[in-house]
Amino acid sequence: MLLTVKELAKALDLHITTIRQAYRTKRIPYERFYKLYFFDFKKVRSTMRRDGLDFTAPKESGTAARDRRREAPARTAKRPPPGKTGAGISRGTVRRIS
């Protein structure tokens, strides 16, 4: 029986994006019918066992995950043009005409 991406992801307890990346990189076998992709569960499991594929991400410590993050870009002191942000409005007392 052929499964869709969503059904295969549920059967393997993986995210749909993980399945999509796997078939796009040709790591798991698939059958294509027009724009739809179908998978034979037995073939996928045997391929995963044969190639030693384990799609579960290893647990990382807090420091390793922190090291992989991108640094925030340095903020420049350039100011926006006047009139675009309301910065030109005075902050004094506002008189209301009644």
Side-chain angles (χ1 to χ4, degrees):
M1 183 168 93
L2 297 177
L3 303 173
T4 63
V5 174
K6 189 174 184 179
E7 293 169 342
L8 182 65
K10 188 174 181 180
L12 294 175
D13 194 28
L14 296 172
H15 197 271
I16 295 171
T17 307
T18 306
I19 301 296
R20 288 183 180 144
Q21 288 174 350
Y23 74 73
R24 287 177 181 157
T25 57
K26 296 182 174 41
R27 294 169 69 187
I28 59 174
Y30 62 88
E31 294 179 27
R32 188 169 175 187
F33 183 71
Y34 293 99
K35 291 183 177 183
L36 302 174
Y37 292 87
F38 295 98
F39 306 89
D40 184 5
F41 185 74
K42 291 180 182 178
K43 287 182 182 179
V44 171
R45 286 301 286 169
S46 65
T47 302
M48 288 175 67
R49 285 188 189 126
R50 183 189 70 215
D51 296 341
L53 296 177
D54 184 20
F55 293 115
T56 57
K59 300 288 182 186
E60 294 183 1
S61 65
T63 57
R66 214 176 308 123
D67 293 341
R68 288 189 299 120
R69 292 186 194 140
R70 284 191 274 162
E71 292 182 23
R75 298 193 182 258
T76 60
K78 185 177 179 182
R79 302 180 90 186
K84 298 286 184 178
T85 61
I89 299 173
S90 67
R91 296 182 185 217
T93 44
V94 178
R95 288 192 218 171
R96 294 189 181 179
I97 300 174
S98 45

